[in-house]
């Protein structure tokens, strides 16, 4: 048995019901194609395609899709591993119509999750290549109803998924501040009064003066939103020098971070950089499921 922890052990008890819902959504009434193929036993090969190396991510979801349909699956590539296309990544056995009921749901899950993991790994590798030692994170700009898969893909790709939802971290952004008499101090005090000791408090600021106010009021993380270039570097340095030994806080950079500008944003004066580039508009990894004819298996 492998001693390597399984990413599947992160998943909550409720996740399997989502698979059932997705299968129900895709076959809400008659399965006309299933009528054609029937329930003859068949073997299908799952291939990782595309033109570039990719990270396999999403195998627990795919396994559950086929298990709910009475099929079995054997993986030939481990979750989180990089494979070169075209790669035979798994073999699925089951009744023909069940294989085809699960095909598109499974491929869509795997394609999206692997795409996010692949992009996350690429961003992380680039940042480390530039000498960045801090935390690389995604954002909450995820797809409603699909957040679990997307956050999971970030983890498999090797980055921090950031807060999962509004309840897992207190984040005060510009709209929160403006709606609280435009007072960062007041917003932080109110948030602390209900958030307790167990939740970190992240405050978005637009200027160095706002950052000072947030740090003085006790923010755990100060997000320097949309600052870049020399401004980001100098503001971060001054904040660390001014508050060093007086307050404990982390600096976060966010807003418009891409592969193209990563080098200037991934500076070690910043403790965290968060970017939606690892999960929004990310190219999917191409997979296909091919049922094998009996002579192909001979």
């Amino acid at each position: 048995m492998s001693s390597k922890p399984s990413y599947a052990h992160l998943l909550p008890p409720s996740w399997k019901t989502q698979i059932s819902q997705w299968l129900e959504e895709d076959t809400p009434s008659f399965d006309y194609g299933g009528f054609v193929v029937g329930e003859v036993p068949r073997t299908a090969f799952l291939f990782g395609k595309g033109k570039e190396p990719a990270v396999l991510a999403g195998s627990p979801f795919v396994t559950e899709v086929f298990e709910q349909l009475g099929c079995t699956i054997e993986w030939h590539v481990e979750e989180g591993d990089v494979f070169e296309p075209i790669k035979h990544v798994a073999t699925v056995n089951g009744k023909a119509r069940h294989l085809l009921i699960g095909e598109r749901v499974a491929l869509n899950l795997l394609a999206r999750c692997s795409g996010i993991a692949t992009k996350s790994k690429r961003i992380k590798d680039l940042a480390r290549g530039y000498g960045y030692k801090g935390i690389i994170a995604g954002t909450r700009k995820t797809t409603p109803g699909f957040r679990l898969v997307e956050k999971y893909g970030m983890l498999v790709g090797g980055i921090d998924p950031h807060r999962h939802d509004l309840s897992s971290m207190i984040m005060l952004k510009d709209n929160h501040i403006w709606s609280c008499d435009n007072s960062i101090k007041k917003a932080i005090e109110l948030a602390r009064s209900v958030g307790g000791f167990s939740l970190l408090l992240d405050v978005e600021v637009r200027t160095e003066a706002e950052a000072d106010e947030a740090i003085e009021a006790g923010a755990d993380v100060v997000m320097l939103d949309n600052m870049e270039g020399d401004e980001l570097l100098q503001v971060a340095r001054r904040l660390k020098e001014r508050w060093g030994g007086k307050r404990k806080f982390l600096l976060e950079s966010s807003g418009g971070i891409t592969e193209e500008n990563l080098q200037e944003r991934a500076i070690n004066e910043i403790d965290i950089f968060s970017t939606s580039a690892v999960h929004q508009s990310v190219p999917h990894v191409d997979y296909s499921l091919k049922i094998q004819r009996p002579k192909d298996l001979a």
Side-chain angles (χ1 to χ4, degrees):
M1 180 181 294
S2 173
S3 60
K4 183 180 178 181
S6 172
Y7 290 107
H9 296 164
L10 288 163
L11 298 172
S14 60
W15 74 274
K16 293 185 179 182
T17 62
Q18 290 187 263
I19 300 294
S20 302
Q21 292 166 3
W22 289 329
L23 286 169
E24 183 179 350
E25 176 191 53
D26 206 41
T27 312
S29 58
F30 293 129
D31 176 20
Y32 301 105
F35 172 79
V36 173
V37 301
E39 295 193 345
V40 60
R42 287 287 183 259
T43 295
F45 290 171
L46 177 60
F47 293 104
K49 300 168 67 179
K51 298 180 180 179
E52 299 178 352
V55 176
L56 177 77
S59 63
F61 304 105
V62 173
T63 296
E64 181 64 20
V65 167
F66 287 114
E67 285 186 350
Q68 287 195 19
L69 294 166
C71 304
T72 61
I73 184 168
E74 178 186 2
W75 290 94
H76 311 306
V77 176
E78 286 195 26
E79 187 81 334
D81 283 356
V82 177
F83 66 86
E84 295 275 351
I86 296 174
K87 177 70 174 178
H88 178 193
V89 300
T91 299
V92 192
N93 286 284
K95 297 173 181 177
R97 76 180 187 92
H98 291 178
L99 291 171
L100 294 175
I101 287 173
E103 175 187 18
R104 183 44 54 194
V105 175
L107 294 183
N108 288 350
L109 285 164
L110 198 62
R112 175 74 174 149
C113 195
S114 295
I116 290 170
T118 300
K119 182 74 166 184
S120 297
K121 183 180 185 304
R122 185 158 64 245
I123 290 280
K124 179 181 179 181
D125 289 347
L126 278 172
R128 297 295 182 244
Y130 295 142
Y132 182 67
K133 298 179 175 64
I135 298 168
I136 302 157
T139 74
R140 201 171 60 89
K141 295 179 182 178
T142 50
T143 308
F146 207 63
R147 179 180 304 173
L148 186 71
V149 178
E150 293 175 343
K151 292 286 190 180
Y152 175 91
M154 297 177 215
L155 283 167
V156 176
I159 68 168
D160 191 304
H162 214 295
R163 60 175 177 156
H164 195 85
D165 49 47
L166 290 175
S167 302
S168 58
M169 181 184 193
I170 303 171
M171 180 174 283
L172 302 177
K173 299 174 77 68
D174 51 7
N175 285 322
H176 295 94
I177 305 302
W178 296 335
S179 300
C180 194
D181 299 330
N182 202 30
S183 171
I184 291 173
K185 183 176 184 292
K186 180 179 178 181
I188 289 176
E189 287 175 348
L190 285 170
R192 287 292 189 202
S193 72
V194 292
F197 70 89
S198 64
L199 292 177
L200 291 177
L201 200 159
D202 192 338
V203 180
E204 177 187 273
V205 302
R206 297 164 299 165
T207 66
E208 186 173 347
E210 287 184 349
D212 281 326
E213 184 180 354
I215 294 167
E216 186 171 19
D220 299 299
V221 183
V222 176
M223 179 191 290
L224 305 175
D225 191 47
N226 286 310
M227 288 189 193
E228 52 188 89
D230 189 60
E231 178 191 16
L232 176 66
L233 176 62
Q234 296 306 322
V235 168
R237 282 180 176 172
R238 287 195 295 268
L239 290 171
K240 290 289 181 77
E241 290 171 1
R242 187 155 56 246
W243 292 100
K246 301 175 184 176
R247 290 284 193 278
K248 185 178 180 181
F249 62 94
L250 298 174
L251 291 180
E252 178 179 355
S253 175
S254 187
I257 300 175
T258 64
E259 289 187 43
E260 288 69 32
N261 64 17
L262 181 62
Q263 188 168 12
E264 69 176 53
R265 299 288 291 273
I267 55 175
N268 283 312
E269 284 76 8
I270 296 296
D271 304 290
I272 308 158
F273 78 77
S274 52
T275 173
S276 60
V278 297
H279 52 91
Q280 280 196 318
S281 304
V282 170
H284 289 190
V285 174
D286 188 20
Y287 291 93
S288 67
L289 186 73
K290 296 298 181 184
I291 291 179
Q292 304 300 295
R293 297 171 295 180
K295 70 174 186 177
D296 295 330
L297 298 171

